[in-house]
Every structure is written in C-alpha cells, then in structure tokens.
C-alpha cells in the first residue's frame, strides 16, 4: 500500500527547492553581471545589481508557479472531502 503524501511535506519540499533555486539564480546573475561589468561597462556596479535582480525575479516567478500549483491542487482535494 502506498504511503500518503501530506500537503505539508510537499510544501516543505517546494520551499526547499525555491530557496536553492533562488540562491543559484541569484549567484548566476551576479556572475554574469560581473562579467558584463568587467568586459563592457568599465567596471560599473549597475550590471552586477541588475543581474542579481534578474536572477531573484526568475526564481520568484518559478517559486510562485510551483506553490500556486500545489495550493490549487490542495483546494480541489479539500472540496472533494467536504460532504454536500
């Protein structure tokens, strides 16, 4: 018999994924921003900040999509459990 997967466990895994995804995308944006800053923009600070911002924005968008999908699935499960 399959063990039940609780919504709390699934949300916990999604939050962990969101945090790690945010760290990776923020770091990647900083690295790309630094490369562009050194090569093209005479060592200005704004490409570095913009790259980090793009990384955080992409991670936020992915996280929002994943969490909303889980919560919508959970609300449909709750509707099925309620007696009419």
């Amino acid at each position: 018999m399959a063990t039940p997967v609780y919504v709390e466990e699934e949300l916990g895994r999604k939050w962990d994924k969101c945090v790690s995804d945010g760290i990776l995308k923020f770091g990647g944006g900083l690295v790309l921003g630094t490369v562009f800053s050194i090569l093209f923009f005479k060592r200005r600070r704004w490409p570095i900040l913009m790259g980090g911002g793009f990384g955080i924005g992409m991670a936020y968008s992915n996280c929002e999509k994943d969490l909303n999908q889980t919560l919508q699935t959970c609300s449909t499960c709750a509707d099925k459990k309620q007696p009419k």
Side-chain angles (χ1 to χ4, degrees), residues 8-28:
E8 293 85 5
E9 291 177 4
E10 189 173 348
L11 282 175
R13 279 185 292 221
K14 298 246 177 158
W15 271 109
D16 292 342
K17 182 181 172 190
C18 287
V19 169
S20 64
D21 188 39
I23 291 170
L24 287 174
K25 284 192 167 62
F26 178 71

Side-chain angles (χ1 to χ4, degrees), residues 67-83:
L67 289 176
N68 281 340
Q69 181 181 10
T70 302
L71 293 175
Q72 286 175 355
T73 304
C74 178
S75 68
T76 59
C77 292
D79 290 342
K80 290 179 184 177
K81 290 180 183 178
Q82 292 177 354

